[in-house]
């Protein structure tokens, strides 16, 4: 037995989980707990009898704990961390073994069924008329029984256990269908006189063929299912197995599970980053494409962060581990993708409701069908009744209905993850496919979010450097991107900054402060007007010109006298234009929101091809704009990267967080874009649309299959066309209906996100 | 013929009663409760829980069929993979009184949680 792990260290105290062997009764629990509590340093020992595990907290070493359990008469070992990769390998080995078993069962079923069917079709009559035929068919009946036992046992035991449990499933239908065919055939052999001569037909080939075909269908479905999880396998494969840690000045390779927080880790060129961390030494470029989909390597220097799963390209690095184990970004991504793959969009709920009532309903239809044939069918009525009931039971496929949604979600969410798009759940996936309006925040979403000073206009006696120096001194305490741009620019010119006092941020206007005894005002035109500071008309025109070029002009006054303008521009991301075009091509209304002035907003909007924008939107009003669009009947996607976007992200039908944004924004989002590019948005919409359309195909296919197949099996076509399905055809159709659903879901793997 | 028809109707009534109307015995959940996942059924499949009290339930999957792999409790958005031949602990949040289904992805395995 194995369970989840744990070995957590809290200061000097550790927590271990031990696996206990030999504890077979409730009284063992007390004995083991007492033995462990007697070990010096043990603070707490709690056994879980169901899982045969005991959790021990304290300062005692793990070996002394194991010894104590052994002395009490049991066996113990430390529960080891099972990596995702180990779990996956185990699952693949189990699937492989099950596949072999199914193929073996299929061979036996078809090995008997195919010759019987060939005999019935081309060689002889499968009816019982003479004593010799009775003996021969009795032998075939016994062989078929052996097939049922060897290859179909799992259907019969499953059906029996379900029946005892007052539930019914696919096994119930198969067991009832094949069982009915076999029992009827045996009645024909053992007591032919109870049936009219025309009805003395045996159906052993149907029993053997159905068992063979359904096992084949299950085997192929298992293989196809394996392929649906390729994306998550690739993500899991990104996790390094070992890390080179530096402890007490010595470098050694250890298993990834044993890397601790604050360990110093060395990574050489070409190696994977094993855990998340912050670079201490070295300079390199890192390939992050596997996580973000971004092909360009990213430069890393001391102070920069690195993520587990990415690849160190050029230089050697030493970094301090900041997140290990299940806390790394990669582990969180894997967890999020797995959870999303398992969740179900609302579109699949109807199928769930139907699946819940499906099997007993089919059983009732089979009984009704048999009764109709017996009452008003042509001779031999008994044979027709048996064939129709058996075929109804066999053709019905609840699995196709049940699989229709989850298989597509599995592939679609994985496909999105490969493109650097993390979808939180099935609902987000479905809503993303219905988005009609996309709201984009300007700064950091459409633009790089890294503004630079482009122009300094001097009016009066102050020099450019003096204006920049004073403005930077005022802004040095601010974290606003525009402020950072000014401080950076001053520093790059070697300007020494002074301390600012009486700092006051006036929301929506700018700031005021005192530097070197001077009273400074720095902000927009309204700030100047509010303080009755005269700005020359020519300068206002010049500022307007800057704004038209997508630059943000900021007015600067010293001691109530206007002295200059500083223009800052935030460059548009390289691929924003193309990404916005993709969204519009998909019929999505693109709306830009910004706190920036109208002229700058207009210039940026024109540059990227957006016709609808709202400027000077205060942070709190972003959510209001989303509501307004929703009131117009739009299904709104909101994209943002900052803390102030969180309410709007939460309110939108689908909130998109740019992966380079804050944790708060990511937590509020339904979909996270791992890279900063807006192409992620178009990718997310494209994958969602493709996935939902795939689900619809599956659902429609599964519904039509059952809605059309069951009446045909019951014989509705017989009165007009003389067609009554053979149970063998029904078995083949049933086996391949779920396979078709899984195969159709697998088509999504070849969906090219970039082309949509 | 009418005997066959009566038998048929009784059979339909039996199906309705056995699969839809019958109220099976319920097993009270405790920290030692293990639900076996084998032969197409959860054993036990009908669990009784106290309302507004979070609980852990352990599932022991013995069936290699992929159908048995996923456990879903739709009302609480729980969807977990059950490892084969291992015990998997599932945390159930505090639930208000009511009946909640749990099942595999295809709803071939089915169970009910009765919170009271």
């Amino acid at each position: 037995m194995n369970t989840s792990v744990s070995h957590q260290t809290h200061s000097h105290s550790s927590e271990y989980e031990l696996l206990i062997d030999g504890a077979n009764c409730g009284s063992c629990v007390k004995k083991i707990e007492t033995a462990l509590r007697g070990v010096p340093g043990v603070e707490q020992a709690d056994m879980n009898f169901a899982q045969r595990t005991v959790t021990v907290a304290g300062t005692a070493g793990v070996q002394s704990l194991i010894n104590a359990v052994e002395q009490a008469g049991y066996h113990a070992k430390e529960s080891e961390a099972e990596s995702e990769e180990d779990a996956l390998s185990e699952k693949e080995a189990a699937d492989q073994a099950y596949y072999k078993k199914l193929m073996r069962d299929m061979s036996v079923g078809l090995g008997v069924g195919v010759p019987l069917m060939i005999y019935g079709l081309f060689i002889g009559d499968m009816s019982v008329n003479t004593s010799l035929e009775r003996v021969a068919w009795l032998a075939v009946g016994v062989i078929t029984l052996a097939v049922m036992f060897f290859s179909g046992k799992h259907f019969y035991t499953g059906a029996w256990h379900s029946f005892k449990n007052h539930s019914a499933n696919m096994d119930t239908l198969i067991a009832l269908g094949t069982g009915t065919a076999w029992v009827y055939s045996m009645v024909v052999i053992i007591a032919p006189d109870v049936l009219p001569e025309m009805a003395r037909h045996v159906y052993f080939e149907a029993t053997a063929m159905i068992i063979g075909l359904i096992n084949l269908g299950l085997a192929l479905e298992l293989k196809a299912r394996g392929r649906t999880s390729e994306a998550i396998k690739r993500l899991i494969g990104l996790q390094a197995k070992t890390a080179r840690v530096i402890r007490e000045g010595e470098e050694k390779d250890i298993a990834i599970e044993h890397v601790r927080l604050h360990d110093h880790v060395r990574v050489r060129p070409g190696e994977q980053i094993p855990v998340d961390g912050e670079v201490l030494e070295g300079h390199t470029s890192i390939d992050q494409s596997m996580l973000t989909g971004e092909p360009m390597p990213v430069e890393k220097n001391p102070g920069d962060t690195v993520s587990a799963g990415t690849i160190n390209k050029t230089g050697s690095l030493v970094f301090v581990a900041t997140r290990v184990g299940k806390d790394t970004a990669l582990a969180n991504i894997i967890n999020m993708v797995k959870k999303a793959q398992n969740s179900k969009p609302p579109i699949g709920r109807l199928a769930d409701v139907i699946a819940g009532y499906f099997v007993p309903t089919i059983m009732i239809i089979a009984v009704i069908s048999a009764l109709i044939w017996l009452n008003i069918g042509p001779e031999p009525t008994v044979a027709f009744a048996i064939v129709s009931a058996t075929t109804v039971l066999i053709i019905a496929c609840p699995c196709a209905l049940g699989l229709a949604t989850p298989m597509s979600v599995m592939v679609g969410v994985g496909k999105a993850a490969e493109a650097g798009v993390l979808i939180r759940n099935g609902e987000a996936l479905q809503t993303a496919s219905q988005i009609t309006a996309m709201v984009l925040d300007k700064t950091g979403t459409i633009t790089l979010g890294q503004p630079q000073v482009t122009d300094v206009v001097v009016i009066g006696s102050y020099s450019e450097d003096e204006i920049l120096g004073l403005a930077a001194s005022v802004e040095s305490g601010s974290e606003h991107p525009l402020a950072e741009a000014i401080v950076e620019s001053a520093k790059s010119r070697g300007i020494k900054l002074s301390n600012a006092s009486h700092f006051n941020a006036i929301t929506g206007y700018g700031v005021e402060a005192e530097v070197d005894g001077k009273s400074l005002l720095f902000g927009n035109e309204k700030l100047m007007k509010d303080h009755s500071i005269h700005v020359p008309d020519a300068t206002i025109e010049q500022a307007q010109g800057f704004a038209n070029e997508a630059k943000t002009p900021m007015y600067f006054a010293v001691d109530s006298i206007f002295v200059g303008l500083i223009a800052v521009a935030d460059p548009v991301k390289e691929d924003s234009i193309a990404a916005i075009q993709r969204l519009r091509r998909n019929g999505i209304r693109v709306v830009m929101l910004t706190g920036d002035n109208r002229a700058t907003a207009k210039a940026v909007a024109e540059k990227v091809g957006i016709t609808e924008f709202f400027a000077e939107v205060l942070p709190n009003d972003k959510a209001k704009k989303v509501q307004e669009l929703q009131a117009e009947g739009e299904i709104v996607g909101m994209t943002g990267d900052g803390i102030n976007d969180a309410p709007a992200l939460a309110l939108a039908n689908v909130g998109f967080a740019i992966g380079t944004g804050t944790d708060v924004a990511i937590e509020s989002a339904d979909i996270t874009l791992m890279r900063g590019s807006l192409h992620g948005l178009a990718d997310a919409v494209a994958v969602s649309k493709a996935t939902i359309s795939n689900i619809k195909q599956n659902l429609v296919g599964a519904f039509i299959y059952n809605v059309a197949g069951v009446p045909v099996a019951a014989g509705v076509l017989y009165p007009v066309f003389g067609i009554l399905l053979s149970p063998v055809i029904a078995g083949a159709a049933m086996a391949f209906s779920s396979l078709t659903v899984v195969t159709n879901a697998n088509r999504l793997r070849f969906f090219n996100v970039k082309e949509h | 013929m009418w005997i066959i028809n009566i038998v048929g109707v009784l059979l339909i009534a039996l199906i309705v009663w056995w699969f839809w109307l019958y109220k099976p015995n319920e097993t009270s959940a405790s920290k030692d409760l293990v639900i076996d996942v084998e032969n197409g059924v959860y054993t036990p499949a009908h669990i009784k829980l106290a309302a507004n009290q979070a609980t852990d339930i352990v599932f022991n999957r013995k069936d290699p069929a992929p159908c048995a792999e996923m456990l879903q409790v739709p009302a609480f958005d729980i969807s977990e993979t059950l490892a084969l031949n291992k015990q998997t602990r599932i945390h159930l949040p505090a639930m208000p009184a009511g009946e909640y289904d749990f099942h595999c992805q295809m709803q071939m395995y089915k169970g009910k949680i009765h919170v009271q």
Side-chain angles (χ1 to χ4, degrees):
Chain A
M1 188 180 74
N2 198 358
T3 56
S4 63
V5 184
S6 60
H7 174 186
Q8 294 163 353
T9 308
H10 306 291
S11 63
H12 300 296
S13 176
S14 292
E15 192 175 286
Y16 293 97
E17 187 175 80
L18 301 179
L19 299 175
I20 306 292
D21 196 15
N24 299 317
C25 56
S27 62
C28 305
V29 174
K30 195 165 172 49
K31 209 167 156 190
I32 291 166
E33 284 179 350
T34 310
L36 286 167
R37 284 176 190 144
V39 177
V42 169
E43 291 157 12
Q44 204 176 341
D46 293 307
M47 178 154 177
N48 182 312
F49 181 61
Q51 293 205 4
R52 307 293 196 271
T53 58
V54 57
T55 308
V56 189
T59 52
V62 68
Q63 196 50 49
S64 60
L65 301 176
I66 291 171
N67 291 344
V69 176
E70 302 272 340
Q71 277 167 17
Y74 305 92
H75 298 292
K77 63 174 181 173
E78 188 179 3
S79 166
E80 281 180 14
E82 184 183 56
S83 68
E84 295 271 4
E85 207 162 355
D86 291 341
L88 196 66
S89 308
E90 271 185 39
K91 179 184 151 32
E92 281 177 347
D95 281 354
Q96 188 56 30
Y98 189 57
Y99 175 77
K100 278 187 184 161
K101 182 197 173 299
L102 290 170
M103 290 304 276
R104 201 175 55 228
D105 291 347
M106 179 275 295
S107 310
V108 173
L110 294 188
V112 172
V114 169
L116 280 176
M117 202 173 70
I118 290 172
Y119 175 82
L121 286 174
F122 305 112
I123 302 169
D125 187 11
M126 295 188 75
S127 56
V128 180
N129 297 309
T130 64
S131 310
L132 187 63
E133 280 175 348
R134 282 181 74 181
V135 174
W137 283 118
L138 183 64
V140 173
V142 172
I143 292 170
T144 309
L145 183 65
V147 170
M148 291 162 81
F149 179 77
F150 184 80
S151 304
K153 193 178 164 190
H154 50 293
F155 301 132
Y156 301 106
T157 50
W160 175 241
H161 283 96
S162 294
F163 178 77
K164 281 197 303 182
N165 212 32
H166 294 268
S167 68
N169 56 27
M170 190 190 82
D171 292 339
T172 314
L173 296 176
I174 297 165
L176 277 176
T178 56
T180 308
W182 186 84
V183 169
Y184 176 77
S185 304
M186 289 308 283
V187 170
V188 169
I189 294 165
I190 294 165
D193 296 339
V194 303
L195 297 163
E197 203 170 310
M198 287 169 75
R200 291 175 194 164
H201 193 281
V202 291
Y203 296 99
F204 293 126
E205 94 287 7
T207 302
M209 284 292 289
I210 290 164
I211 289 173
L213 285 169
I214 291 173
N215 277 315
L216 174 65
L218 288 174
L220 297 177
E221 184 192 315
L222 187 69
K223 278 278 167 206
R225 268 174 181 253
R227 287 192 286 272
T228 61
S229 52
E230 271 179 7
I232 198 83
K233 279 183 210 162
R234 267 196 286 274
L235 277 176
I236 290 170
L238 293 177
Q239 289 174 320
K241 290 186 178 64
T242 58
R244 169 157 289 234
V245 297
I246 307 165
R247 286 181 187 163
E248 292 159 3
E250 212 177 294
E251 285 189 19
K252 54 182 175 181
D253 289 320
I254 62 168
I256 191 82
E257 296 83 18
H258 298 138
V259 177
R260 294 192 301 245
L261 213 55
H262 309 308
D263 264 341
H264 287 195
V265 182
R266 181 181 296 283
V267 186
R268 289 163 291 196
E271 287 181 343
Q272 264 171 330
I273 305 289
V275 294
D276 290 355
E278 191 180 310
V279 178
L280 295 174
E281 291 170 27
H283 164 85
T284 188
S285 64
I286 301 262
D287 178 0
Q288 304 189 140
S289 60
M290 54 294 290
L291 287 188
T292 63
E294 178 61 58
M296 290 299 289
V298 179
E299 294 292 312
K300 296 287 178 183
N301 292 303
D304 289 340
T305 56
V306 288
S307 299
T310 55
I311 293 174
N312 177 24
K313 301 283 279 185
T314 48
S316 182
L317 278 185
V318 175
F319 71 87
V320 57
T322 53
R323 286 192 293 196
V324 299
K326 290 186 172 170
D327 295 328
T328 64
L330 177 61
N332 282 321
I333 290 169
I334 291 171
N335 196 28
M336 189 171 162
V337 172
K338 275 166 96 177
K339 280 220 177 310
Q341 282 184 324
N342 294 339
S343 74
K344 209 170 264 187
I347 192 173
R349 283 183 196 148
L350 177 64
D352 272 0
V353 173
I354 293 172
Y357 295 96
F358 192 88
V359 178
T361 307
I362 293 298
M363 289 162 73
I364 291 169
I365 293 173
V367 174
I368 293 170
S369 166
L371 287 178
I372 292 171
W373 278 102
L374 286 169
N375 280 283
I376 56 170
E379 287 297 335
T381 54
V382 182
F384 277 121
I386 292 296
V387 169
S388 74
T390 304
T391 314
V392 166
L393 290 170
I394 295 298
I395 205 166
C397 189
C399 304
L401 273 177
L403 284 174
T405 308
M407 286 297 111
S408 306
V409 172
M410 184 98 163
V411 184
V413 168
K415 190 82 199 168
E418 279 177 5
V421 176
L422 300 182
I423 299 173
R424 188 173 293 280
N425 54 36
E427 200 166 340
L429 178 85
Q430 184 170 335
T431 319
S433 75
Q434 299 162 334
I435 287 175
T436 56
M438 186 73 80
V439 178
L440 306 175
D441 181 42
K442 180 180 77 74
T443 308
T445 303
I446 296 174
T447 63
L448 280 174
Q450 291 157 352
Q452 291 148 8
V453 172
T454 56
D455 304 84
V456 181
V457 177
V458 176
I459 308 285
S461 56
Y462 285 90
S463 71
E464 267 192 28
D465 280 5
E466 279 172 325
I467 290 176
L468 208 52
L470 286 170
S473 301
V474 173
E475 296 282 23
S476 59
S478 170
E479 284 176 4
H480 193 280
L482 296 183
E484 281 172 12
I486 290 163
V487 174
E488 275 305 307
S489 175
K491 281 182 181 169
S492 69
R493 292 187 185 204
I495 300 168
K496 204 167 166 250
L497 305 189
S498 308
N499 288 331
S501 59
H502 300 95
F503 183 90
N504 179 27
I506 312 157
T507 310
Y509 291 84
V511 293
E512 59 181 341
E514 275 185 23
V515 175
D516 298 337
K518 297 183 181 78
S519 171
L520 308 179
L521 281 170
F522 189 44
N524 56 21
E525 194 190 345
K526 282 188 276 182
L527 182 71
M528 299 295 127
K529 276 187 183 159
D530 253 30
H531 287 76
S532 307
I533 295 169
H534 172 71
V535 180
D537 289 345
T539 311
I540 292 174
E541 265 175 45
Q542 200 171 6
Q544 192 60 47
F546 287 143
N548 292 341
E549 293 167 27
K551 295 172 183 173
T552 304
M554 287 183 283
Y555 296 74
F556 192 53
V558 179
D559 293 332
S560 297
I561 297 167
F562 177 71
V563 295
L565 270 182
I566 298 178
V568 175
D570 183 9
V572 168
K573 283 177 194 168
E574 224 173 72
D575 51 10
S576 286
I577 299 170
I580 288 165
Q581 273 172 356
R582 275 178 72 194
L583 287 171
R584 290 167 66 103
R585 263 204 311 275
N586 276 304
I588 294 173
R589 175 179 168 189
V590 182
V591 179
M592 185 182 85
L593 291 187
T594 177
D596 222 331
N597 68 69
R598 193 181 150 73
T600 308
K602 186 168 180 275
V604 172
E606 276 173 3
K607 199 168 185 179
V608 296
I610 293 176
T611 50
E612 205 175 339
F613 63 90
F614 296 96
E616 295 169 31
V617 178
L618 295 173
N620 296 340
D621 292 339
K622 285 185 179 173
K624 230 182 265 172
K625 287 286 171 201
V626 169
Q627 270 176 324
E628 280 170 21
L629 285 167
Q630 284 169 331
E632 289 173 31
E634 303 282 8
I635 296 174
V636 181
M638 164 78 201
T639 312
D641 74 332
I643 292 170
N644 59 23
D645 296 328
L649 287 174
L651 202 68
N653 298 84
V654 184
F656 292 84
I658 298 270
T660 47
T662 62
D663 287 347
V664 178
I666 290 168
E667 270 171 32
S668 316
D670 300 302
I671 296 180
T672 300
L673 311 179
M674 296 293 292
R675 60 193 157 129
S677 164
L678 283 183
H679 274 297
L681 283 180
D683 291 349
V685 172
V687 172
S688 307
K689 280 190 171 170
T691 308
I692 295 300
S693 144
N694 194 273
I695 292 173
K696 284 180 185 164
Q697 290 159 11
N698 279 345
L699 285 174
V700 168
F703 273 116
I704 288 177
Y705 169 81
N706 282 297
V707 168
V710 172
V712 170
V716 290
L717 296 181
Y718 190 83
V720 182
F721 302 104
I723 296 171
L724 183 62
L725 274 189
S726 146
V728 175
I729 304 287
M734 190 270 201
F736 290 97
S737 61
S738 16
L739 180 64
T740 309
V741 163
V742 182
T743 308
N744 187 47
N746 263 319
R747 281 193 319 117
L748 271 177
R749 291 191 300 131
F750 307 107
F751 175 73
N752 191 340
V753 175
K754 301 281 170 231
E755 285 176 4
H756 294 81
Chain B
M1 195 63 217
W2 60 272
I3 295 179
I4 290 175
N5 287 337
I6 289 173
V7 170
V9 171
L10 286 176
L11 200 54
I12 292 171
L14 186 69
I15 291 169
V16 171
W17 175 74
W18 186 262
F19 293 111
W20 289 329
L21 302 179
Y22 182 85
K23 293 275 173 210
N25 292 334
E26 290 168 336
T27 307
S28 295
S30 68
K31 74 167 191 168
D32 289 339
L33 178 68
V34 178
I35 296 178
D36 284 327
V37 184
E38 195 179 17
N39 288 322
V41 288
Y42 295 120
T43 313
H46 297 269
I47 315 296
K48 202 161 55 182
L49 282 182
N52 304 316
Q53 211 174 300
T55 317
D56 282 2
I57 294 184
V58 176
F59 284 80
N60 187 14
R61 176 185 165 210
K62 296 175 181 172
D63 182 353
C67 183
E69 191 179 21
M70 296 299 308
L71 173 85
Q72 300 187 327
V73 191
F76 296 95
D77 213 16
I78 293 172
S79 186
E80 294 285 344
T81 307
L82 306 179
L84 182 62
N85 295 323
K86 283 184 186 163
Q87 297 194 335
T88 309
R89 182 175 289 276
I90 304 292
H91 178 72
L92 299 174
M95 308 178 186
E99 282 199 338
Y100 304 96
D101 289 328
F102 61 99
H103 50 72
C104 71
Q105 260 181 344
M106 298 194 286
Q107 295 207 41
M108 296 293 99
Y109 277 87
K110 274 187 276 192
K112 222 174 245 310
I113 302 165
H114 186 193
V115 180
Q116 52 193 18

